Amino acid sequence: MSADIAFDANILFALLTIVAIGSMYLAGRIAERRGRRFTVWAWIAAFIGPLALPLIFLFPNRHRGNAGYV
């Protein structure tokens, strides 16, 4: 029974690690497309996780001003 719990915890840890790394990469790429620095937003995503993704969209797009979507 104890081995099953440890195995489940390891799977959960691996999944959360993959999600965290994925959100760092995605946040950096989205920020880069919006005229912001990749590394800054990757670090922000490292600290606050996937919450960085909606946060990027609250800042104006530097390439097109505040025009919105094209």
Side-chain angles (χ1 to χ4, degrees), residues 1 4 6-8 12 14 16-18 22-25 32 38 43-44 50 52-53 57 59 66 68-70:
M1 181 96 173
D4 292 336
F7 181 70
D8 291 342
L12 180 63
L16 289 176
T17 302
I18 290 169
S23 68
M24 288 172 61
Y25 178 76
E32 196 173 46
F38 178 90
W43 277 108
I44 290 172
L53 297 174
F57 293 108
F59 290 100
N66 291 328
Y69 299 107
V70 172

Side-chain angles (χ1 to χ4, degrees), residues 9-70:
N10 287 335
I11 290 176
L12 180 63
F13 178 74
L15 288 174
L16 289 176
T17 302
I18 290 169
V19 168
I21 292 171
S23 68
M24 288 172 61
Y25 178 76
L26 191 59
R29 287 293 168 202
I30 292 171
E32 196 173 46
R33 287 184 65 192
R34 296 179 61 84
R36 309 238 174 232
R37 291 178 51 196
F38 178 90
T39 54
V40 170
W41 280 95
W43 277 108
I44 290 172
F47 286 114
I48 65 174
L51 294 174
L53 297 174
L55 184 63
I56 293 171
F57 293 108
L58 293 176
F59 290 100
N61 188 346
R62 285 189 175 173
H63 289 303
R64 291 182 220 120
N66 291 328
Y69 299 107
V70 172

